[in-house]
Amino acid sequence: MSLPVFPYGKLSFAVSLALCSAYSFAIEVENTQPQERVDLPTVTVQSVGKQTTSNYTIPASSAATGIKLTQRETPQSLSVVTAKQIEDQGLDSLQDVLKQTPGVFHSKMGNNVSGHSEFISRSQAIDSITVDGAPKFLYDYKAIRRGTNNLDSALYDQVVVVRGASGLSNGGMGEPGGTVALERKKPTAKPAVSVEAGVGSWNHYRFVLDANQPLNADNTLRGRAILVSDHGGDYLPNTSRHNHTFYGTLSYDITPQTQWRVGTELHRFRNNGSSPFSYLTVAGNRKDGFKPFESSPRNNSSARWAYGKDNSAEVFTSLSHEFANGWRLTGDYSYLTGKSDILSGIAGAFVIKPDYSALFTSDRDRSKYRDQDFSLILDGDYPALGRSHEFNAGISYQGNRENLSFYQEGESIIPDLRQFDGNVAQPDMPYLRDGFTDMKNLSVYGSTRFKLTDKLAFIGGGRFVDWRYRYSTDRNKFAYSSHKQKVFIPYLGVTYDLDDNLTAYASYTTIFRPQVRNLTKDGVALEPQRGKTYETGLKASWFDGRLNASVSVFMNKRDHVGVKAGEFPNGEEYFRAVNKTTTKGGELVIGGRLNDRWLLNASYAHSKIKDSEGNQLHASYPVHLFKLFTAYDITDRLNLGANVNWQSLTHTLDDGYPENINPAAAAALTQRPYATLDLTAHYKIGKSTRIGLDFENVFNKRYRPMPDIHVYGTPRSVTATVKHTF
């Protein structure tokens, strides 16, 4: 392993100098003016609610602005899923967590074992992610899609989803959909060991060990280790998964003001009898007409010999120092390496003929990848105009290299797709050649919250991004392609406290989203999405922050939005750019504790994107989403909960299908509005043991998250768990 060699020496030197200068200025102000006493107004500090065993709230988050602010102080929509909520709802994976997050639609393009997932917010995919504050944007959707079905939630204290563009905090990629911010569990001074075991439908077995321990007498050295083993099948036949995760970290207080942290994550994912995608819901073509292809939710379109493997290892370290004046300097570095091997065999994924014969395609993809992330952050408070204000500045670097090996695809014909059972000969797929993708992103940023009065605060900031991307893959027929952009992303926000419980806010930022892997019919990459986004709303907080609510409206305007324009004969998609698009919507969210026994999380989201002529784009995403989770302590030992998810109609009739399509086929490409119900029950045995039952899709609702492919949501299932804390 070697440290990264930054290709922007002058810029990084300038930023480092700027950070040092900023800190030196703060020191100078403190040291050269000791005789000048600033009488700040008396401020009554109220608890904003901390994450506890009975609470769904957290004190503050920096996911939106880079500055740690409470939800009321943040001029943007965000939702926090705490470890308590993750445990109460039985949310084992990051995919499960995001499915229950307000305003997020889960677009499932495969089964639970190895299928791809896409998460939609405000009619746009969420493509960026941060871990412990460090941006992990990896183009081509891999930051949020890689291992999403397998990434275990047991590693995280909280999952924050910032809805809307957040280029100020996520590495400069101003994704209009949002950003997922993960915070890993850290060692604490209190010793604790917990063991959790679970068993569920389709031979699902799960084991979690979480051990936290101080390692010296004065608790300055602390360690934590988490081990997860997850095995089982799927509601589709002939499938299985075997996933292992290890997370270990050490924290050391070098001095009371200086903390060092080091850790590692190891992942080993395996699946058998499963491919990423499934087949279309209609048969036929434009010439012969279209008709529905009826399929059972239990149909598996994958060959029995298909498999997927992914191994990865990450090391990370962090060093933080707090100066005498309260300012803090933090440096973070992580290095991840891994390799994957996916052998797919899928029937009917691209072509189903009118007689129900179908094309069977097979392919193999192998890759080796490495990711490097570095950040240096300076933050603190400074006095001005008789008040204290917050400041944040930093530099961040992300680098990703992936080497890809491609093999010749295999093709054959399945005589009758309705009789397909996965028994098909594995074709010979000889090695063809290698390709690569290489992304580098260097950015500098800064922000401040300036309190003009006790009630009125302004937040301003910006990030300068130097983004570079090179690739040569089968997508561009192995032609070398190079792209680079330099862009500035501003951020402006304002909050005003109407009273002790209610705050009005507004914010503005810009959108920058590369999409070089979206090619036109001519093989030309689309230009990056560019645009502006606006948001305003009200936020409320009651019971010392234990219950929070918000209502918001938003609008963004974008150019160069990639929209599917058709498919090549081999089924590969091509795109067109749509300019002058407008996305409008609103959200209503309430979450927290209503009283000592009653927990509630409820949300409604509305979003629609239209082109300049008023036509709806991305009709496969629902316009309306409603989510409700509530739990009640019947007794001091028994807790019962219920979760309801509802969404409006979706369809794909605007993606290349004729207006005179067979009505039955049109219905097959439409998912009617639907709702699902989940139930939970937990019982405490003594002070240290808890047993639970989690029922998913209680009424066995049959639905498709994507209306144009036969991938069904999980049918009725049950999981039983027992957790003991020593």
Side-chain angles (χ1 to χ4, degrees):
M1 184 191 314
S2 60
L3 294 176
V5 179
F6 301 118
Y8 314 101
K10 294 182 179 179
L11 181 58
S12 59
F13 174 77
V15 174
S16 302
L17 183 62
L19 290 176
C20 294
S21 299
Y23 172 70
S24 299
F25 174 77
I27 293 291
E28 184 178 350
V29 170
E30 182 183 53
N31 294 338
T32 59
Q33 300 177 345
Q35 73 281 5
E36 295 184 12
R37 178 176 176 177
V38 179
D39 294 323
L40 300 178
T42 302
V43 178
T44 302
V45 180
Q46 296 182 339
S47 170
V48 294
K50 64 179 181 178
Q51 184 180 341
T52 69
T53 57
S54 62
N55 203 349
Y56 281 9
T57 61
I58 61 168
S61 173
S62 59
T65 64
I67 302 171
K68 274 207 166 188
L69 303 172
T70 67
Q71 294 198 38
R72 276 185 62 189
E73 294 170 337
T74 303
Q76 199 166 342
S77 297
L78 75 160
S79 296
V80 181
V81 182
T82 64
K84 167 64 176 172
Q85 185 177 349
I86 290 172
E87 183 178 10
D88 285 350
Q89 293 187 250
L91 309 176
D92 294 341
S93 67
L94 179 58
Q95 174 180 256
D96 294 335
V97 173
L98 295 179
K99 284 167 61 177
Q100 304 303 330
T101 303
V104 177
F105 164 63
H106 177 217
S107 173
K108 184 178 178 182
M109 294 176 284
N111 57 69
N112 290 342
V113 174
S114 65
H116 286 246
S117 290
E118 191 175 40
F119 299 94
I120 311 299
S121 175
R122 301 185 174 182
S123 300
Q124 186 64 46
I126 300 175
D127 290 339
S128 56
I129 192 169
T130 67
V131 180
D132 293 340
K136 298 284 186 179
F137 181 88
L138 303 175
Y139 190 70
D140 199 26
Y141 311 101
K142 290 187 177 172
I144 198 66
R145 285 188 184 175
R146 177 184 287 162
T148 303
N149 290 329
N150 302 311
L151 200 60
D152 208 282
S153 62
L155 275 58
Y156 307 111
D157 255 338
Q158 64 188 47
V159 179
V160 180
V161 177
V162 180
R163 296 185 294 279
S166 53
L168 178 62
S169 61
N170 73 354
M173 303 301 175
E175 303 290 338
T179 298
V180 177
L182 307 176
E183 184 173 317
R184 286 181 284 216
K185 294 178 178 178
K186 298 177 177 62
T188 65
K190 183 179 180 180
V193 177
S194 67
V195 177
E196 180 180 343
V199 59
S201 301
W202 312 298
N203 297 317
H204 178 209
Y205 300 94
R206 176 176 168 84
F207 174 81
V208 182
L209 171 65
D210 187 345
N212 180 87
Q213 181 66 44
L215 300 176
N216 59 3
D218 58 1
N219 293 337
T220 57
L221 180 63
R222 305 168 297 278
R224 189 165 190 169
I226 299 175
L227 175 66
V228 183
S229 184
D230 193 286
H231 305 264
D234 192 69
Y235 59 90
L236 297 182
N238 310 316
T239 61
S240 64
R241 69 178 181 273
H242 307 278
N243 300 329
H244 303 278
T245 297
F246 173 79
Y247 167 70
T249 182
L250 292 172
S251 291
Y252 180 54
D253 299 337
I254 302 174
T255 70
Q257 295 78 34
T258 306
Q259 292 82 40
W260 176 58
R261 184 177 173 228
V262 64
T264 184
E265 272 191 45
L266 306 175
H267 299 276
R268 185 179 184 272
F269 302 143
R270 299 286 188 274
N271 69 76
N272 296 299
S274 181
S275 299
F277 301 101
S278 189
Y279 39 73
L280 298 173
T281 58
V282 295
N285 50 54
R286 293 176 181 270
K287 179 181 178 182
D288 302 315
F290 292 87
K291 58 184 181 180
F293 174 79
E294 295 296 335
S295 174
S296 166
R298 296 273 296 169
N299 279 117
N300 186 359
S301 65
S302 182
R304 293 175 180 258
W305 41 258
Y307 66 81
K309 303 177 182 179
D310 195 294
N311 295 329
S312 66
E314 179 183 8
V315 293
F316 58 88
T317 187
S318 175
L319 183 64
S320 178
H321 178 75
E322 183 175 334
F323 299 94
N325 65 349
W327 283 53
R328 180 175 292 273
L329 184 66
T330 304
D332 293 278
Y333 174 76
S334 68
Y335 181 92
L336 180 146
T337 182
K339 60 181 181 180
S340 66
D341 183 3
I342 300 174
L343 178 64
S344 297
I346 315 170
F350 302 127
V351 178
I352 305 176
K353 297 182 179 180
D355 62 356
Y356 297 110
S357 62
L359 180 67
F360 179 87
T361 60
S362 56
D363 63 81
R364 185 181 187 186
D365 294 308
R366 303 180 71 185
S367 70
K368 294 181 179 180
Y369 52 88
R370 67 175 187 270
D371 307 329
Q372 295 187 87
D373 300 278
F374 169 79
S375 65
L376 185 65
I377 304 171
L378 178 68
D379 58 74
D381 299 339
Y382 62 96
L385 303 180
R387 291 180 174 82
S388 181
H389 317 276
E390 296 89 356
F391 172 82
N392 171 274
I395 177 174
S396 68
Y397 169 86
Q398 300 96 48
N400 167 250
R401 173 81 181 192
E402 186 167 14
N403 296 310
L404 307 140
S405 298
F406 296 94
Y407 297 77
Q408 182 176 308
E409 295 183 356
E411 291 187 356
S412 60
I413 297 295
I414 303 298
D416 190 340
L417 187 57
R418 296 170 295 182
Q419 307 299 320
F420 182 74
D421 60 0
N423 287 311
V424 61
Q426 180 178 341
D428 183 32
M429 291 175 285
Y431 165 80
L432 293 177
R433 62 171 297 171
D434 288 341
F436 75 92
T437 65
D438 186 84
M439 188 276 294
K440 294 181 174 65
N441 184 2
L442 178 68
S443 61
V444 296
Y445 58 94
S447 60
T448 184
R449 186 174 78 128
F450 194 90
K451 297 191 69 175
L452 195 62
T453 69
D454 290 342
K455 296 183 176 183
L456 180 64
F458 291 92
I459 297 175
R463 182 183 288 260
F464 175 80
V465 181
D466 190 342
W467 173 83
R468 303 182 183 190
Y469 188 87
R470 301 180 299 123
Y471 76 104
S472 177
T473 72
D474 66 336
R475 181 67 66 88
N476 65 341
K477 310 305 179 184
F478 296 99
Y480 178 82
S481 181
S482 179
H483 304 265
K484 57 182 179 181
Q485 294 280 338
K486 293 183 179 179
V487 61
F488 176 75
I489 298 176
Y491 185 96
L492 297 172
V494 59
T495 62
Y496 184 79
D497 295 335
L498 300 174
D499 57 34
D500 292 340
N501 302 106
L502 186 64
T503 298
Y505 75 92
S507 62
Y508 161 84
T509 189
T510 59
I511 297 167
F512 170 70
R513 183 185 186 273
Q515 46 186 357
V516 296
R517 298 297 301 273
N518 287 350
L519 304 183
T520 68
K521 191 175 183 179
D522 300 324
V524 180
L526 297 180
E527 292 290 325
Q529 293 184 22
R530 305 295 289 267
K532 303 176 180 179
T533 182
Y534 310 85
E535 181 176 334
T536 186
L538 297 171
K539 294 187 178 185
S541 179
W542 302 278
F543 313 124
D544 291 335
R546 294 191 302 272
L547 180 66
N548 295 279
S550 66
V551 58
S552 62
V553 293
F554 60 87
M555 178 181 68
N556 67 60
K557 295 181 175 292
R558 287 178 289 158
D559 292 329
H560 312 303
V561 176
V563 176
K564 179 182 174 182
E567 294 181 350
F568 295 108
N570 64 355
E572 190 173 305
E573 297 177 348
Y574 57 86
F575 297 80
R576 61 184 176 92
V578 180
N579 294 322
K580 298 181 179 180
T581 70
T582 301
T583 304
K584 296 181 180 179
E587 297 164 341
L588 176 63
V589 181
I590 183 170
R593 181 169 287 278
L594 298 178
N595 56 39
D596 291 340
R597 292 182 176 271
W598 190 5
L599 286 167
L600 176 71
N601 266 3
S603 66
Y604 166 76
H606 167 86
S607 179
K608 183 182 289 187
I609 178 173
K610 295 182 178 180
D611 61 19
S612 58
E613 299 179 354
N615 301 314
Q616 183 185 355
L617 304 176
H618 299 170
S620 60
Y621 305 156
V623 175
H624 306 276
L625 282 174
F626 173 77
K627 301 182 181 185
L628 169 67
F629 174 74
T630 185
Y632 193 84
D633 294 331
I634 306 298
T635 68
D636 292 340
R637 296 183 180 275
L638 178 62
N639 176 275
L640 300 179
N643 182 75
V644 176
N645 283 351
W646 176 89
Q647 71 170 58
S648 60
L649 178 145
T650 60
H651 66 83
T652 55
L653 296 176
D654 59 344
D655 290 339
Y657 292 94
E659 295 183 357
N660 61 345
I661 188 174
N662 182 330
L669 293 166
T670 301
Q671 174 58 60
R672 298 172 61 86
Y674 68 91
T676 60
L677 173 66
D678 309 326
L679 297 176
T680 65
H682 299 102
Y683 186 80
K684 295 180 181 178
I685 302 175
K687 296 182 179 180
S688 304
T689 304
R690 178 172 122 158
I691 59 175
L693 283 175
D694 298 288
F695 299 88
E696 184 175 355
N697 196 2
V698 173
F699 295 113
N700 205 30
K701 179 65 180 181
R702 175 172 171 171
Y703 65 93
R704 300 190 307 271
M706 289 292 287
D708 62 336
I709 56 179
H710 261 306
V711 176
Y712 288 87
T714 304
R716 182 189 297 119
S717 62
V718 61
T719 301
T721 59
V722 57
K723 181 177 181 180
H724 183 77
T725 302
F726 298 90

